[in-house]
Amino acid sequence: MKSIIIYTTRYGCTAEVARRIQKELGDECTIIDIKKESVPLLDTFDTVILGGSIYIGKVQKEMTLFCTTNLEQLLTKKIGLYISAGAQTQEECYKELLGAFPSELHAHATTKNVLGYAFSFDKMRFFDKLIMKKIKGNAVNTATYFEERIAQFAKGITAGTTYNETSQAF
Ligand SMILES: Cc1cc2nc3c(=O)[nH]c(=O)nc-3n(C[C@H](O)[C@H](O)[C@H](O)COP(=O)(O)O)c2cc1C
């Protein structure tokens, strides 16, 4: 199985999740940050994993653009979708995941989940820091990676099992 993880991130959490999925999947997995690198031709990959992070209810516009531009080809691949999101309830997490990718991709994807969240105050832009400090009530750096879900996500992608079987949260 030749796979590629294509992600967007602001402060690195989604990149770290990508590296952890890659570790589970092995060497045949390429990682691309679409804000920094150009995406190779998708023809050679049978599996595409798309990851993004959520800011004020939205995934990065580069991810949305990539999904809509390449939708037709993506629908011919085995697809996994994940986000990093700080939403605290299962319901909110599900809403963020659902809103992050086009409905056609959701219907097609075999594996999807929220795989972690991090608040990196030392890296944050002024306004992000201000908003987050107000919401959290402190400015302490934290990072949570859902190891079990990441392992199950990778297993689900490899086996091509369905959404319900592979997702703990949803
Ligand atoms: C200014 C700001 C707004 C955010 N808005 C949301 C949000 O609407 N929903 C959510 O679930 N998480 C939200 N988050 C949490 C981020 O999604 C989370 O920190 C994520 O891990 C960031 O990943 P990244 O470092 O890959 O960009 C927000 C974080 C910041 C700093």
Side-chain angles (χ1 to χ4, degrees):
M1 185 183 80
K2 212 169 162 214
S3 53
I4 183 166
I5 304 172
I6 298 166
Y7 71 87
T8 47
T9 184
R10 194 177 286 182
Y11 299 116
C13 175
T14 315
E16 177 58 25
V17 172
R19 287 190 288 273
R20 288 174 188 230
I21 298 170
Q22 184 191 40
K23 214 167 147 198
E24 297 281 339
L25 292 179
D27 292 340
E28 283 273 59
C29 178
T30 305
I31 298 186
I32 296 286
D33 175 349
I34 44 173
K35 282 162 85 176
K36 293 190 181 151
E37 303 161 281
S38 55
V39 181
L41 282 179
L42 294 180
D43 303 31
T44 54
F45 301 97
D46 46 46
T47 299
V48 180
I49 296 169
L50 301 165
S53 51
I54 306 298
Y55 289 85
I56 325 285
K58 283 198 182 332
V59 77
Q60 283 86 358
K61 61 180 183 317
E62 291 84 353
M63 177 53 66
T64 305
L65 184 67
F66 179 81
C67 290
T68 48
T69 311
N70 296 282
L71 189 59
E72 206 176 308
Q73 191 175 20
L74 288 170
L75 292 175
T76 67
K77 309 285 177 188
K78 198 189 281 185
I79 294 288
L81 306 173
Y82 76 92
I83 56 167
S84 313
Q88 287 304 300
T89 66
Q90 189 168 305
E91 222 176 17
E92 284 167 352
C93 282
Y94 183 66
K95 200 170 135 244
E96 302 294 25
L97 180 62
L98 209 60
F101 302 98
S103 54
E104 295 94 328
L105 273 184
H106 268 287
H108 180 77
T110 52
T111 312
K112 34 191 168 174
N113 218 327
V114 179
L115 297 180
Y117 60 90
F119 299 105
S120 309
F121 284 94
D122 51 351
K123 296 184 199 163
M124 271 184 208
R125 301 171 189 167
F126 180 75
F127 283 111
D128 284 0
K129 204 182 277 187
L130 210 66
I131 294 166
M132 247 329 120
K133 220 171 151 182
K134 205 164 169 120
I135 293 171
K136 274 180 56 92
N138 63 52
V140 180
N141 286 347
T142 52
T144 301
Y145 299 101
F146 300 121
E147 290 302 339
E148 185 58 33
R149 282 190 213 166
I150 292 170
Q152 288 209 347
F153 186 93
K155 260 192 217 144
I157 272 288
T158 310
T161 48
T162 61
Y163 175 71
N164 287 330
E165 286 167 310
T166 56
S167 169
Q168 285 186 332
F170 316 118

